[in-house]
Amino acid sequence: MKVLALVNQKGGVGKTTTAVNLAAYLANTRRRILVVDIDPQANASSGLGVRGAEAGVYDALREPARLSDFIQQTEIKNLHVLPATPDLAGAGVELTDEPDALKNLLAGLEKYDLVLIDAPPSLGPLTINALVAADALIVPLQAEYYALEGIAGLMDTIERVRDGLNPALQVLGIVITMFDGRTNLSVQIEENVRNHFGDLVFWSVIPRNVRLSEAPSHAKPINLYSPMSSGAGAYKRLSDEVMQRVKKI
């Protein structure tokens, strides 16, 4: 089992959209996938059809022996979710001195091929727990200037986690999201990111796409909501790239 965390301290960069849709396409390849939603907003949970969960990751952290009781099946056969609940908002304080709580919780899992953690848009204790639990990271990067500017802080945090808490942590890749090829800005951002990070950047680029924006309101990943859309095709290609890289870690 490999654990991948989707992280970016900036909100609105397509992190949860990537977690939901990547998980859905990976599950379609008959791999057993678990999404762990540690963002108190619970958008990954609702995007996979699990709304208003009464118990989830917060309860599992308090009662690790009952972990399987809190995992829910989604509409996709091989895809499960450990949902977020409002109680998770207070977990940040509780986990300040427990950076390995999530890692210890997931250590008992055996029936999954991949675990995808959707971290909150911050660098607080919940995200640190995700970094410590992960084998590798996927970093969604919106094709705009401020998103590019903020990635330096994230990379510094990753290095600090490697130094003290998770020496084996890797960056699986950076995925450019919300790309609009009609604008010079998107093209320039992509060029700058590829020049700076080289092969670390996935070749698959996620476009701005109305269907991707609509899918969460229907509580469905894009492969169920609009499988022929450009957004669906982009996430299908990304899932193929992710699996090629996962095989090397």
Side-chain angles (χ1 to χ4, degrees):
M1 185 183 80
K2 297 296 183 183
V3 179
L4 307 178
L6 288 96
V7 296
N8 194 318
Q9 79 274 25
K10 188 178 186 301
V13 300
K15 176 181 55 61
T16 297
T17 298
T18 298
V20 166
N21 294 305
L22 181 58
Y25 274 107
L26 291 171
N28 275 349
T29 64
R30 299 185 179 180
R31 292 178 175 89
R32 297 161 298 177
I33 309 297
L34 173 66
V35 172
V36 178
D37 187 356
I38 63 166
D39 185 346
Q41 297 178 85
N43 290 334
S45 304
S46 62
L48 290 169
V50 178
R51 288 175 165 167
E54 295 183 0
V57 64
Y58 177 77
D59 305 270
L61 287 166
R62 297 183 68 185
E63 300 182 76
R66 294 184 57 205
L67 172 58
S68 60
D69 294 339
F70 305 118
I71 294 174
Q72 297 194 32
Q73 172 71 55
T74 71
E75 192 174 347
I76 297 173
K77 180 179 178 181
N78 296 313
L79 180 55
H80 295 81
V81 60
L82 181 56
T85 59
D87 291 335
L88 194 57
V93 176
E94 298 175 26
L95 295 175
T96 299
D97 298 321
E98 297 183 63
D100 56 355
L102 184 60
K103 178 180 180 178
N104 294 337
L105 176 67
L106 299 180
L109 289 173
E110 295 180 353
K111 69 176 184 177
Y112 296 102
D113 299 304
L114 276 173
V115 174
L116 273 66
I117 304 171
D118 185 37
S122 69
L123 293 178
L126 287 169
T127 298
I128 297 300
N129 259 263
L131 295 176
V132 173
D135 296 300
L137 308 177
I138 295 175
V139 181
L141 177 66
Q142 185 181 1
E144 62 141 44
Y145 177 74
Y146 287 123
L148 181 60
E149 190 178 56
I151 201 170
L154 175 60
M155 291 302 179
D156 288 343
T157 300
I158 292 170
E159 285 303 320
R160 289 198 297 273
V161 170
R162 280 177 177 155
D163 288 343
L165 297 168
N166 186 359
L169 182 63
Q170 301 181 36
V171 178
L172 192 72
I174 297 169
V175 55
I176 298 172
T177 62
M178 302 182 188
F179 180 83
D180 186 346
R182 299 169 300 178
T183 68
N184 289 334
L185 178 60
S186 282
V187 174
Q188 289 170 1
I189 292 294
E190 180 183 15
E191 182 178 347
N192 289 343
V193 171
R194 293 194 186 280
N195 286 340
H196 188 75
F197 292 103
D199 292 340
L200 205 57
V201 185
F202 289 107
W203 284 110
S204 302
V205 173
I206 309 303
R208 284 195 177 274
N209 179 245
V210 173
R211 296 301 188 190
L212 282 175
S213 300
E214 293 173 346
S217 67
H218 295 269
K220 293 180 181 292
I222 194 64
N223 64 331
L224 296 183
Y225 177 68
S226 184
M228 302 306 293
S229 64
S230 62
Y235 275 113
K236 172 61 172 66
R237 292 188 294 273
L238 179 63
S239 71
D240 293 338
E241 270 197 272
V242 165
M243 282 315 306
Q244 289 300 316
R245 296 193 185 195
V246 166
K247 291 175 183 177
K248 299 177 183 179
I249 63 175

